Amino acid sequence: MARITLRQLLDHAAENGYGVPAFNINNMEQALAIMEAADAVDAPVIIQASRGARQYANDVVLKHLIDAVAEMYPHIPVCMHQDHGNNEATCATAIQFGFTSVMMDGSLQADGKTPADYDYNVKVTRNVVDMAHWVGASVEGELGVLGSLETGMGEKEDGHGFEGKLGHDQLLTDPDQAVEFVKATEVDALAIAMGTSHGAYKFTRKPDGAVLAMNVIEEIHQRLPNTHLVMHGSSSVPQELQDIINQYGGQMPQTWGVPVEEIQRGIKHGVRKINIDTDNRMAMTGAIRKVFAENPGEFDPRKYLKPAMEAMRAVCRQRLEEFGTAGQASKIKPLPMSAMAKRYAAGELSPKIGITRVAAE
Ligand SMILES: [Zn+2]
């Protein structure tokens, strides 16, 4: 079965100049929708589960769910990733349940809401890197705290995210510190803060450089050309999905997400993993609302979950095509985690630092 590590997948993406959307799941319908989309366009996938998702679905259910979809689609490389691990134990137990990759989010303390200092972040992330690399699993770290540059506020999602107001120095990752962080922790991928936030309410207008700091990505990529960058909170919150929800009885205030063209610009500058959850939630909710509004007598869950899956599948497929992930699955030969462990032990995968590349164009 084609389970793949994040590191191997993102190395392939970097070599071939594409990005990979990471879709969140907490149930069967979402897992099936992602896999159907990937299968339709020959794309590898990153499926991720937050701590909240693991609690909701149960670790044992999630483990067998991922085993099931990997068995159904043996030709699709599947990376199973822990989203926003809050401490070493969360990351260790994820690997125990078959995840091939973990995020250690040491930008916040273990409570998942209090901003942590740099030294704590380095220490806890390094602990997870040591443990994960021994068994060949990959690690994503985070430097800088996710939140809106418009308001200074974070958006808590699944119980994770800071509460209160932060300054620009914390909401924007410092490029020099990013170099130090990667050197000290040897993470495989780095999530950076540049104005994106979780949830649907990211921007009060179409974002420009003042609230979506794409220049931070470009600066970090120049200094760390071999580190895979991760954009969190990168749903585009399409107008048509807002409209469907509101047309059928929803009450979502007007909002703006991260435009796909900005993500595509990021992919040209080292962004390899793009986290998307809200768009899929909205697609499913819009489809369900439509069934309920048009057929108020309906009570068979399949009658609304099937359209919900179809709506999510369409969003996933679109992103796989927009980010260049489509067509890549058949070009990848996934290595088992044991082989990745040997590559880490041999020093083959250590970060390459100090090579300052001339900026592309
Ligand atoms: Zn996130």
Side-chain angles (χ1 to χ4, degrees), residues 156-351:
K156 208 168 158 180
E157 189 168 62
D158 285 351
H160 188 100
F162 77 89
E163 289 164 338
K165 207 169 162 112
L166 289 178
H168 274 207
D169 55 325
Q170 282 170 295
L171 292 170
L172 289 173
T173 304
D174 174 61
D176 292 329
Q177 202 175 48
V179 174
E180 291 308 311
F181 185 79
V182 170
K183 205 191 286 184
T185 60
E186 305 205 0
V187 287
D188 300 287
L190 182 66
I192 57 176
M194 26 79 76
T196 63
S197 54
H198 294 130
Y201 304 100
K202 299 178 194 303
F203 306 106
T204 59
R205 57 186 160 92
K206 188 174 192 287
D208 57 20
V211 294
L212 180 63
M214 297 301 293
N215 62 309
V216 171
I217 286 177
E218 291 165 18
E219 279 178 43
I220 293 174
H221 182 54
Q222 268 184 45
R223 289 175 173 75
L224 291 169
N226 298 297
T227 299
H228 305 307
L229 303 181
V230 182
M231 283 175 74
H232 278 244
S234 290
S235 280
S236 300
V237 198
Q239 187 64 46
E240 60 268 27
L241 294 182
Q242 298 181 47
D243 291 345
I244 291 172
I245 288 174
N246 288 335
Q247 184 185 342
Y248 294 104
Q251 290 182 357
M252 284 190 73
Q254 179 63 43
T255 180
W256 281 266
V258 182
V260 166
E261 59 267 25
E262 295 295 340
I263 297 169
Q264 289 168 329
R265 182 175 150 199
I267 292 170
K268 290 201 180 78
H269 296 278
V271 170
R272 299 292 161 227
K273 174 172 179 279
I274 302 102
N275 288 8
I276 294 171
D277 190 0
T278 296
D279 287 350
N280 287 328
R281 293 179 178 198
M282 289 175 65
M284 294 186 95
T285 298
I288 290 171
R289 280 194 170 280
K290 184 167 188 286
V291 173
F292 285 167
E294 291 177 347
N295 306 290
E298 189 55 67
F299 58 88
D300 178 350
R302 292 169 297 185
K303 290 285 165 41
Y304 51 86
L305 289 175
K306 191 159 180 286
M309 278 170 65
E310 283 163 7
M312 174 160 164
R313 186 174 66 204
V315 172
C316 292
R317 179 177 176 152
Q318 196 181 343
R319 297 292 177 270
L320 291 167
E321 286 172 337
E322 288 163 340
F323 301 165
T325 336
Q328 303 291 344
S330 50
K331 297 183 193 161
I332 304 171
K333 297 268 167 296
L335 291 170
M337 277 170 54
S338 56
M340 292 300 287
K342 286 196 184 109
R343 295 183 68 199
Y344 285 117
E348 273 177 50
L349 301 174
S350 300

Side-chain angles (χ1 to χ4, degrees), residues 48 81-87 90-91 101-107 128 138-143 146 160 191 230 232 273 275:
Q48 57 186 12
H81 177 80
Q82 167 76 53
D83 193 18
H84 289 288
N86 64 318
N87 60 21
T90 297
C91 295
S101 178
V102 294
M103 177 188 192
M104 178 60 239
D105 179 0
S107 74
V128 170
S138 318
V139 180
E140 173 186 336
E142 175 169 327
L143 188 64
L146 291 167
H160 188 100
V230 182
H232 278 244
K273 174 172 179 279
N275 288 8

